[in-house]
Amino acid sequence: MTLIKSISGIRGTIGGGAGVGLNPLDIVKFTSAYATLIRKTCTVKSNKIVVGRDARISGEMVKNVVVGTLMGMGWDVIDIDLASTPTTELAVTMEGASGGIILTASHNPKQWNALKLLNERGEFLNAAEGNEVLRIAEAEEFEFADVDHLGSYRKDLTYNQKHIDSVLALNLVDVEAIRKANFRVAIDCVNSVGGIILPELLKQLGVQHIEKLYCEPTGDFQHNPEPLEKNLGDIMNLMKGGKADVAFVVDPDVDRLAMICEDGKMYGEEYTLVSVADYVLKHTPGNTVSNLSSTRALRDVTRKYGKEYFASAVGEVNVTTKMKEVGAVIGGEGNGGVIYPESHYGRDALVGIALFLSHLAHEGKKVSELRATYPSYFMAKNRVDLTPETDVDAILAKVKELYKDEEINDIDGVKIDFADKWVHLRKSNTEPIIRVYSEASTPEEAEEIGQKIMKVIEDLAK
């Protein structure tokens, strides 16, 4: 059993004793702490909090505990039930609510669940707010409402359609072009809420032919739910049979988007954002942002339009903060997370799909041909295991000094930008390891530069 309390929420495996797994006692404590923080910090005059969930088997249980706790804290709950993470984010602002809780463990397997916490803008809490929730929970500094001030409950199942409407209303979503292109689209929704909303989105975008895989929202995931190539054999085989022009794969809460070409090959999740950004920049030139561990191809595409690319620390809240700071027109994360401010400041696979299909329709190319138009980079991901006694910060400082003649970014670990490749070193907050991400123009070069820096770290650790 595992329970992880962090600034981005509470996450754990279902069951076990208090403080051991994700169980009702800890859910009550954490929800009460969040409700207390929102009461103190919220600037909108609303007594509403939105609750949405993915289709996990434990979702109904967790939701009932969260809803009851919020009502016990005096909040009026809007229960949008089975809904994607971006749907819940949008519902917060559409409702004029004070905050929202999303019940999803994202790409974690079915035994996990989590509470993701939103502010009144439908965006994730920042680090300071997340820490304050942890502090309040630990101190149990919360007070429940008396009988005359209990919160109310309302179920509202209209938000999936409202989310789709908001996507269709975006200026750059060209429904007419998509309809005319007569695309055949396959989807793998890994038995969660994508199976409810994606077929509807595609129909309303004018897609007539939809091949569905694992669209029943049972929460009994038919494969590892992280949308990586090693987990997607079934849909890749379906594509090899020539049944569709493109396949879209989402994780259980639909904020990440992976794509598969018409020949059954992966498009590359790093290139979801690159392709969408190319389309957005073509029509609305502006700055872009992704995190330090994302592909350099976004920088290349941005510069093609004479605009500037900026890197943020890893984590969605860091990306959105940087996007606001530099006025980015598009941004996101290399894990298939597209953030389009014209819609909202959150990763949204629905927005990604609609913009990508618009782009594909305008280009008139096969998906594999479109992919071939972008700079080709390959990434390697490694880790160096150290002892608990190792001073990881001191090692990172020495690496930085060793490579001071290269372009260095130290807002999140150490990133060394060479002329034709890069390496990003990040320390784990929970164990004595350094994660080593590297990218170059061939897989061999990416692995080679990663191994070279790993050797440096190992030597420094001796």
Side-chain angles (χ1 to χ4, degrees):
M1 296 294 169
T2 310
L3 183 68
I4 300 166
K5 301 169 186 176
S6 75
I7 57 170
S8 55
I10 182 171
R11 182 164 53 104
T13 50
I14 296 300
V20 178
L22 187 66
N23 60 70
L25 281 176
D26 286 298
I27 295 167
V28 168
K29 192 160 121 173
F30 208 79
T31 303
S32 304
Y34 166 75
T36 303
L37 174 90
I38 291 296
R39 185 71 77 201
K40 284 196 291 203
T41 60
C42 185
T43 55
V44 300
K45 302 232 177 322
S46 160
N47 199 48
K48 294 189 280 194
I49 288 183
V50 173
V51 178
R53 69 180 179 98
D54 71 14
R56 282 165 196 279
I57 296 163
S58 60
E60 190 80 38
M61 178 276 285
V62 175
K63 182 188 82 173
N64 289 339
V65 177
V66 167
V67 166
T69 304
L70 289 170
M71 291 167 71
M73 291 292 295
W75 287 99
D76 299 329
V77 176
I78 314 300
D79 172 14
I80 67 170
D81 205 35
L82 290 168
S84 74
T85 282
T87 307
T88 311
E89 291 169 350
L90 282 164
V92 170
T93 52
M94 288 178 178
E95 262 307 326
S98 291
I101 300 181
I102 310 163
L103 311 177
T104 174
S106 202
H107 60 268
N108 287 98
K110 71 177 184 178
Q111 66 269 29
W112 289 80
N113 212 328
L115 277 61
K116 288 187 174 179
L117 310 174
L118 304 173
N119 62 22
E120 72 264 31
R121 294 183 301 281
E123 296 166 19
F124 291 119
L125 300 186
N126 63 32
E129 291 162 335
N131 274 323
E132 181 61 5
V133 171
L134 292 177
R135 189 198 66 74
I136 295 167
E138 197 53 44
E140 297 190 0
E141 268 179 30
F142 31 78
E143 200 165 308
F144 297 100
D146 64 35
V147 72
D148 294 318
H149 296 93
L150 294 173
S152 63
Y153 172 82
R154 171 163 66 85
K155 196 166 204 170
D156 186 338
L157 302 182
T158 63
Y159 276 99
N160 281 336
Q161 186 55 49
K162 285 175 180 166
H163 186 180
I164 292 170
D165 290 343
S166 79
V167 172
L168 299 178
L170 293 168
N171 284 334
L172 291 187
V173 172
D174 193 337
V175 178
E176 198 45 46
I178 295 169
R179 188 175 282 115
K180 278 188 185 151
N182 201 20
F183 291 126
R184 296 168 308 148
V185 176
I187 52 174
D188 175 352
C189 298
V190 71
N191 304 103
S192 192
V193 291
I196 300 169
I197 198 166
L198 289 198
E200 272 308 309
L201 170 75
L202 289 167
K203 266 187 236 159
Q204 292 177 47
L205 282 169
V207 176
Q208 308 279 315
H209 182 99
I210 306 168
E211 292 277 340
K212 296 187 211 169
L213 203 57
Y214 310 135
C215 283
E216 310 76 22
T218 59
D220 193 6
F221 307 144
Q222 291 301 298
H223 57 78
N224 182 309
E226 188 162 16
L228 301 174
E229 181 168 2
K230 63 184 178 185
N231 303 325
L232 303 179
D234 294 351
I235 187 124
M236 289 169 78
N237 287 334
L238 181 149
M239 291 302 288
K240 282 173 190 155
K243 286 194 171 178
D245 302 306
V246 63
F248 296 119
V249 183
V250 292
D251 60 342
D253 69 326
V254 201
D255 59 357
R256 285 172 65 174
L257 173 64
M259 303 187 293
I260 299 163
C261 302
E262 78 290 342
D263 56 5
K265 291 199 175 89
M266 291 296 293
Y267 193 83
E269 64 171 359
E270 291 283 336
Y271 285 82
T272 300
L273 174 58
V274 174
S275 308
V276 170
D278 184 30
Y279 177 63
V280 169
L281 292 169
K282 192 169 281 177
H283 295 89
T284 49
N287 296 333
T288 64
V289 172
S290 65
N291 69 41
L292 285 170
S293 291
S294 300
T295 181
R296 186 180 275 190
L298 181 61
R299 187 189 77 174
D300 296 351
V301 167
T302 308
R303 287 180 177 176
K304 181 176 87 173
Y305 293 99
K307 295 300 175 182
E308 212 170 333
Y309 162 79
F310 296 87
S312 79
V314 174
E316 184 173 328
V317 70
N318 297 317
V319 177
T320 55
T321 301
K322 191 72 176 173
M323 286 176 72
K324 291 172 186 175
E325 191 188 301
V326 302
V329 294
I330 183 84
E333 298 185 307
N335 61 10
V338 173
I339 302 172
Y340 187 43
E342 195 71 26
S343 171
H344 63 121
Y345 280 102
R347 293 180 300 172
D348 190 333
L350 278 77
V351 168
I353 287 169
L355 291 174
F356 183 81
L357 287 176
S358 301
H359 186 30
L360 194 61
H362 285 203
E363 292 293 321
K365 293 181 169 78
K366 286 182 180 172
V367 175
S368 59
E369 291 168 348
L370 181 64
R371 172 66 180 80
T373 64
Y374 297 113
S376 208
Y377 293 110
F378 296 87
M379 218 173 264
K381 295 181 180 179
N382 291 290
R383 56 185 264 177
V384 181
D385 291 274
L386 302 161
T387 64
E389 297 76 46
T390 311
D391 186 340
V392 177
D393 291 325
I395 287 176
L396 291 177
K398 284 175 187 163
V399 172
K400 195 172 135 187
E401 179 58 30
L402 279 171
Y403 289 94
K404 62 174 189 273
D405 293 339
E406 306 297 339
E407 193 181 321
I408 299 278
N409 188 323
D410 61 358
I411 58 168
D412 182 3
V414 175
K415 183 172 184 179
I416 310 158
D417 256 306
F418 302 95
D420 55 349
K421 50 188 169 276
W422 58 257
V423 180
H424 184 204
L425 311 173
R426 292 187 77 224
K427 74 168 185 174
S428 164
N429 290 325
T430 53
E431 47 191 336
I433 63 173
I434 294 178
R435 299 191 191 281
V436 182
Y437 305 94
S438 49
E439 186 181 66
S441 49
T442 68
E444 296 76 21
E445 283 179 277
E447 189 61 42
E448 188 187 324
I449 187 66
Q451 292 293 340
K452 183 181 170 185
I453 304 286
M454 285 166 73
K455 177 81 171 60
V456 170
I457 293 169
E458 283 160 3
D459 289 345
L460 288 169
K462 283 175 186 168

